[in-house]
Amino acid sequence: IVGGKPVSVADSPWAVALSSRDRFGGTRGGQFCGGVAVGPTKVLTAAHCLREDVLGTDVSEVRDLRVIAGRDELSGPGGQEIPVRSAWVNPGYDPHTNAADLAVLTLSRALPANSVIPMAGAGSTAYEPGTAATVYGWGDTTGYGAYASGLRATTVRVLPDTECAHAYPGGSQGAYDASSMLCAGDPAGGRDACQGDSGGPLVARGRLVGLVSWGSGCGSPGSPGVYTRVSAAIRWMADRN
Ligand code: 4AZ
């Protein structure tokens, strides 16, 4: 998170970190992506977090994955490390374009009570351009590899699809697809998600609207963040267990 400030998981208990086995016990708890709890045993993350080159292991090896919940400082104690029972990658996910960049993780035991966030449905006003939205994560705070030890958040705005369509017309930067992606950022630059925040939540009006997915750099004016639009897959998610 670039341009943010520390926040407590006590106030955002649905913000979780993903840890993989080759990093278990390592610095920062082995964190490599973010996630968000939408049910007592259900966590959403970015599908690209489960790619072999990101995960360091095959996605079928879900025993190598854990969700860290209720812990602010990743190198510290507290909270829980919960093994993942199953991982479902959205069938629409395209690793070349990052379309439908979404996966569901089911947990081997339930999260503490009241640590889930509701998702904003397709018609929700939370998706309207101009709406203030907050993004959470333990990722890079600078764009140059300075990873946060504690959870941070920053405030951006939902932007019109045309902004991302203009910034990301295709080619080397990838193409923005409004049906499965959501555009959000700071028009002036400076506030954004960054590397290591992927899969983490974008929250507007108290509801989950997006997951950190991709973008060009972090916080550069004219290069908004691209998020997975969660409304596009609500029904699919409900049936993954
Ligand atoms: C990444 O590399 C990444 N500024 C995530 C989000 C953004 C850029 C890069 C958005 O995981």
Side-chain angles (χ1 to χ4, degrees), residues 48 192-196 198 212-215 217-219 225:
H48 86 256
D192 199 4
C194 201
Q195 192 112 36
S198 284
V212 176
S213 182
W214 61 282
C218 305

